[in-house]
Amino acid sequence: MSKQAIIIDCDPGQDDAINLLLAMSSPDEIDILGITAVAGNVPLARTERNARLMCDIAGRSDIPVYAGCARPMVRDLVTAEKVHGRTGIDGVEITEPVLPLQEQNAVDFIVDTLRAADDETITLVPTGPLTNIATAITKAPDILPKVKEIVLMGGAMRESGNHSPSAEFNILVDPQAADIVFKCGRPITQMGLDVSHQVLSTRERIDRIKKIDNQAAQATVGMLDFFNRHDTKKYNYVGAPLHDPCTVAYLLRPDIFEGKLCNVSIETQSELTMGNTAVDFWHVTDRPRNTNWIHAVDADAFYELLTSHLARFDK
Ligand code: BDR
Ligand code: CA
């Protein structure tokens, strides 16, 4: 596999944080050009801090972290402390990160980095509301040819919604941004709730990670334990769905996922179904097939990948 150049755009969040650790455990496969933070699960000041803390834990002071948009494009910010705790990454000991925040705004970093790249060379990996990405596209549409692919977490079809009856959190927080991204014309691979609800962090899976004697693995266990408390009650599942790591797992092992090329369109008008992702799974319209809609995953292989990669970190 040739090394993939990526920008991770995120709102950590325990699952974003674990996704960062998975990506940072894979320097031979993935070149992280930068991590850009956006407001979402918690306000921006916490998401950027949490991203830097993960770089500290991973020993990756070589990765620059940028702060981007503090609120959605049109709507008011909605956060999810109920799910993630006050810090966004409850379950981990919070200290002031050693890695400094970059001065440049995340949106400008995305624009400048893409402008300097060759065509179709950079993969964007958004795991939060799509505000930073859509703002960059709106500000500099000339960056689009540089994007190889957008591999994102958001949306739902069969699993309907987790933050409203018809919408998934990331899309619901900034539907206008999602609408811009899904209409941008670049290839999209989408990890929605239909697939993330298949990768459940069961006790047995967490216990396997617990045996790994390094800080990244122990931080992951703390975060998964916290995540489980809320989600097992909400869904009555045997473990919490591990949403965001589906994105980097896909970059590392696309063969363990199953997808179908479909049109996905975003509801931006109706208050009742705001942020709904209308997935044309059976091709009943002639709308462009803009998205590789992922609908199945080998969950055991997913956790095997996560566990073996976390074991790569030094003590
Ligand atoms: C998504 O919403 C957030 O709470 C998680 O970090 C994930 O990105 C799941 O709906
Ligand atoms: Ca997220």
Side-chain angles (χ1 to χ4, degrees), residues 11 15-16 41 127-128 170 244:
D11 64 336
D15 56 334
D16 303 79
N41 285 321
T127 62
N170 288 340
D244 295 338

Side-chain angles (χ1 to χ4, degrees), residues 1-314:
M1 182 194 279
S2 61
K3 205 155 155 171
Q4 309 182 62
I6 73 169
I7 295 172
I8 304 180
D9 186 69
C10 56
D11 64 336
Q14 288 88 351
D15 56 334
D16 303 79
I18 295 168
N19 193 44
L20 291 175
L21 293 176
L22 178 60
M24 289 190 283
S25 74
S26 316
D28 293 339
E29 300 97 329
I30 291 177
D31 181 12
I32 306 171
L33 304 176
I35 297 171
T36 53
V38 68
N41 285 321
V42 285
L44 184 65
R46 287 185 208 150
T47 60
E48 62 85 354
R49 187 247 352 242
N50 295 347
R52 290 187 289 131
L53 206 49
M54 288 306 123
C55 294
D56 284 1
I57 287 175
R60 294 294 305 270
S61 54
D62 57 309
I63 300 175
V65 176
Y66 303 82
C69 300
R71 63 193 59 85
M73 293 181 106
V74 177
R75 291 163 67 86
D76 291 338
L77 176 65
V78 174
T79 54
E81 282 88 356
K82 212 168 74 185
V83 181
H84 300 273
R86 203 184 58 80
T87 67
I89 51 170
D90 277 25
V92 170
E93 194 197 335
I94 305 291
T95 51
E96 184 48 34
V98 175
L99 185 73
L101 181 67
Q102 296 291 316
E103 272 176 25
Q104 190 181 27
N105 182 278
V107 173
D108 295 330
F109 165 75
I110 293 169
V111 170
D112 288 356
T113 306
L114 286 163
R115 277 189 174 151
D118 290 334
D119 280 359
E120 299 182 19
T121 51
I122 296 182
T123 297
L124 301 177
V125 185
T127 62
L130 289 159
T131 322
N132 285 346
I133 305 293
T135 306
I137 293 172
T138 306
K139 191 171 170 187
D142 56 293
I143 63 178
L144 282 170
K146 313 301 179 84
V147 176
K148 182 178 172 212
E149 191 180 3
I150 301 170
V151 179
L152 64 89
M153 193 283 139
M157 183 181 69
R158 297 199 172 101
E159 292 292 307
S160 52
N162 64 355
H163 213 76
S164 82
S166 40
E168 179 280 331
F169 180 77
N170 288 340
I171 308 295
L172 181 60
V173 172
D174 200 340
Q176 281 73 22
D179 187 44
I180 290 169
V181 170
F182 278 84
K183 286 177 177 159
C184 81
R186 300 307 303 152
I188 295 173
T189 288
Q190 184 174 6
M191 303 288 166
L193 300 181
D194 294 24
V195 69
S196 70
H197 282 196
Q198 295 174 34
V199 286
L200 304 180
S201 52
T202 61
R203 191 68 257 157
E204 196 199 349
R205 287 168 174 159
I206 297 177
D207 283 345
R208 238 177 285 141
I209 298 173
K210 209 175 193 165
K211 290 197 186 113
I212 304 169
D213 186 17
N214 67 37
Q215 213 193 338
Q218 294 311 311
T220 300
V221 169
M223 290 191 280
L224 288 177
D225 278 341
F226 183 87
F227 222 23
N228 264 3
R229 263 174 252 158
H230 176 271
D231 272 9
T232 48
K233 228 185 274 162
K234 175 174 177 181
Y235 300 109
N236 199 21
Y237 287 168
V238 288
L242 197 43
H243 313 283
D244 295 338
C246 290
T247 57
V248 169
Y250 175 81
L251 296 181
L252 295 167
R253 287 286 309 274
D255 58 300
I256 67 173
F257 292 88
E258 221 176 290
K260 183 172 176 181
L261 208 54
C262 300
N263 176 270
V264 176
S265 300
I266 310 297
E267 176 59 58
T268 58
Q269 302 300 317
S270 155
E271 266 310 315
L272 181 65
T273 57
M274 182 67 72
N276 178 260
T277 43
V279 182
D280 186 4
F281 195 76
W282 301 117
H283 300 153
V284 295
T285 71
D286 54 11
R287 291 181 204 136
R289 296 179 188 180
N290 57 352
T291 303
N292 176 23
W293 172 255
I294 304 294
H295 53 87
V297 60
D298 177 342
D300 286 334
F302 171 93
Y303 276 93
E304 177 50 42
L305 176 76
L306 178 64
T307 309
S308 62
H309 275 242
L310 288 171
R312 290 175 170 189
F313 287 111
D314 293 337

